[in-house]
Amino acid sequence: MGGVMPALDGLAAAYFGSGRAADAILVVLALECVWLWRWRRWPVAGAVAAVLPGVMFVLGLRAALVGAPWQMIALPLAGALPAHLWDLARRERRRRGVRSG
């Protein structure tokens, strides 16, 4: 099992250690935001609110992968909670508006 696996291990270590894995996830989240906005016809703020908590978690992951100081890891992780609460509040207001309207 020696030949290919060490090379793959090195590539995977470089891919994750450089933060590129997190960058790829951020690209997917950006595409999801555009999809929600353009094809699902969500308001821009709604699409951003939906993906922002995930973006914050991935930014924390990226900081951890590249060996950033703990503050740079904690800050986006802490920001994920208010972002999530913002999304929940927007959805609840919309739900209440649809039912009463």
Side-chain angles (χ1 to χ4, degrees):
M1 220 167 147
V4 175
M5 287 309 218
L8 288 178
D9 287 345
L11 286 174
Y15 184 67
F16 282 90
S18 68
R20 287 193 181 125
D23 294 341
I25 296 168
L26 289 170
V27 168
V28 170
L29 287 169
L31 292 172
E32 178 184 4
C33 188
V34 170
W35 177 77
L36 289 170
W37 170 56
R38 296 290 292 177
W39 285 276
R40 296 292 304 237
R41 306 220 184 267
W42 285 28
V44 173
V48 170
V51 300
L52 187 57
V55 168
M56 300 300 282
F57 276 117
V58 175
L59 288 174
L61 169 67
R62 188 184 196 294
L65 288 172
V66 299
W70 71 265
Q71 297 92 337
M72 297 303 294
I73 299 167
L75 186 62
L77 294 180
L81 177 60
H84 180 60
L85 293 175
W86 175 47
D87 181 35
L88 290 177
R90 285 186 50 82
R91 290 175 191 235
E92 181 62 21
R93 279 193 306 271
R94 184 169 181 251
R95 186 184 68 80
R96 288 181 185 218
V98 170
R99 284 192 175 172
S100 64

